[in-house]
Amino acid sequence: MDKLADLRKSYERDELDEHQSASEPLLQFQQWLQQALDAKVPEPNAMTLATVGPDGRPSTRIVLIKDIDARGLVWYTNYDSRKGRELAAHPFAALQFHWVELERVVRIEGRVEKVDAAQSDAYFASRPLDSRLGAWASPQSQVISSRAVLVANAAKAAAQHGLSPSRPPHWGGYRLVPERWEFWQGRKSRLHDRLVYRLENGVWLRERLAP
């Protein structure tokens, strides 16, 4: 642990030029996400989700992006979880992708809304059976006495719902509607490239930030 202060990395893999980046942040993100997929980085769809509780304290966790289009970025979870309760109180959030192998970070901020029931139903039906039963079995973010509680709940859900469990009413999708994007590309000597896109009067403005 006494060597932490000595850890260093020189970022020299790529660059991010505002004259060559996409004019729309969604296009830039899709390009980078595809490159992360092509590079086979571990879990390229994993993103950190930051929310704020009623007491003003932030919290983070990892979720998986499941859809993206001009409306925003979608993930699915338990509405009664800590993040669900915090989004109910403050429907704004931040997302962050960190593709370490590509020396890249993407940050997105905006308001959050629930996706419609039909979209949640369709995605839930596409999940593996164990995952669908798990949505019924886990009282996410609640204190439980032991893992045996989950195992018992899963067995009960299997007996009750069989091979075709419907989507629980407490489970579904959220969509973050972007208002700000930032793309970070590591560069040598800590002179990193940072491009921010911010929405102003319905138009995306692209600016460079000092690292």
Side-chain angles (χ1 to χ4, degrees), residues 156-171:
K156 180 180 178 180
Q160 181 176 353
H161 299 284
L163 298 178
S164 301
S166 60
R167 178 176 64 89
H170 58 263
W171 190 98

Side-chain angles (χ1 to χ4, degrees), residues 5-200:
D6 296 330
L7 293 177
R8 296 286 188 276
K9 176 178 172 60
S10 181
Y11 299 96
E12 302 179 21
R13 183 184 178 95
D14 210 337
E15 63 183 28
L16 179 59
D17 189 314
E18 56 265 50
H19 302 296
Q20 297 179 357
S21 63
S23 59
E24 296 284 335
L26 177 59
L27 297 178
Q28 183 64 36
F29 177 77
Q30 289 174 326
Q31 176 184 326
W32 272 21
L33 178 57
Q34 186 60 56
Q35 290 173 354
L37 291 166
D38 293 343
K40 301 187 186 306
V41 303
E43 295 195 280
N45 57 332
M47 56 188 184
T48 300
L49 166 66
T51 56
V52 177
D55 56 0
R57 292 176 178 265
S59 63
T60 65
R61 73 287 293 159
I62 302 295
V63 296
L64 302 177
I65 183 175
K66 291 299 180 180
D67 192 19
I68 181 170
D69 57 25
R71 296 172 297 173
L73 300 88
V74 174
W75 69 94
Y76 294 86
T77 191
N78 187 313
Y79 291 144
D80 295 333
S81 63
R82 179 180 178 181
K83 55 186 170 297
R85 296 194 303 270
E86 291 181 346
L87 287 170
H90 297 290
F92 296 90
L95 300 171
Q96 178 171 293
F97 293 83
H98 187 191
W99 297 311
V100 178
E101 293 78 6
L102 301 181
E103 301 173 356
R104 288 174 174 173
V105 173
V106 182
R107 300 167 58 198
I108 312 106
E109 301 171 20
R111 61 182 177 84
V112 176
E113 60 189 21
K114 288 182 179 179
V115 306
D116 62 50
Q119 184 173 349
S120 289
D121 287 342
Y123 175 71
F124 186 80
S126 74
R127 304 180 84 209
L129 177 60
D130 287 349
S131 297
R132 284 178 280 157
L133 292 173
W136 284 100
S138 175
Q140 193 174 114
S141 300
Q142 296 183 28
V143 175
I144 57 176
S145 59
S146 70
R147 184 174 178 81
V149 173
L150 294 178
V151 175
N153 286 353
K156 180 180 178 180
Q160 181 176 353
H161 299 284
L163 298 178
S164 301
S166 60
R167 178 176 64 89
H170 58 263
W171 190 98
Y174 286 104
R175 176 184 293 108
L176 183 138
V177 181
E179 298 170 351
R180 179 186 175 95
W181 296 73
E182 182 182 326
F183 296 84
W184 181 97
Q185 177 70 60
R187 296 296 301 275
K188 190 176 181 179
S189 302
R190 295 299 187 266
L191 300 179
H192 310 304
D193 290 329
R194 294 176 64 191
L195 294 186
V196 64
Y197 295 75
R198 56 185 179 86
L199 197 58
E200 188 170 296

